[in-house]
Amino acid sequence: MDPRISLLLHHLTAAKRLAEKDPRHGMVAYLLELAIIEVEEECERQNSNQTDRSDDAV
């Protein structure tokens, strides 16, 4: 995984943990969770595309 993506996930996760500590920020925590899921899914798609390209080259 790209180190920048890893750092992004780390920051999003830390922000979500902070938001979860205050019940008034429930929606913020939820939106951060959605962002985390989106980044993880995008990484999976990119890895899948790279694997598909490698298979095509063989």
Side-chain angles (χ1 to χ4, degrees):
M1 179 183 304
D2 185 325
R4 295 173 294 174
I5 299 297
S6 180
L7 183 61
L8 173 63
L9 284 172
H10 176 76
H11 285 276
L12 288 170
T13 303
K16 179 182 170 237
R17 285 189 194 136
L18 287 173
E20 288 174 334
K21 290 183 179 184
D22 188 340
R24 296 174 296 168
H25 296 114
M27 183 57 81
V28 173
Y30 172 73
L31 294 173
L32 287 165
E33 178 65 22
L34 291 179
I36 291 167
I37 291 168
E38 186 63 31
V39 170
E40 290 172 340
E41 288 176 349
E42 182 61 28
C43 286
E44 289 176 12
R45 283 192 291 271
Q46 288 180 1
N47 287 339
S48 176
N49 287 341
Q50 288 175 355
T51 302
D52 291 345
R53 288 185 200 136
S54 295
D55 291 344
D56 290 344
V58 174

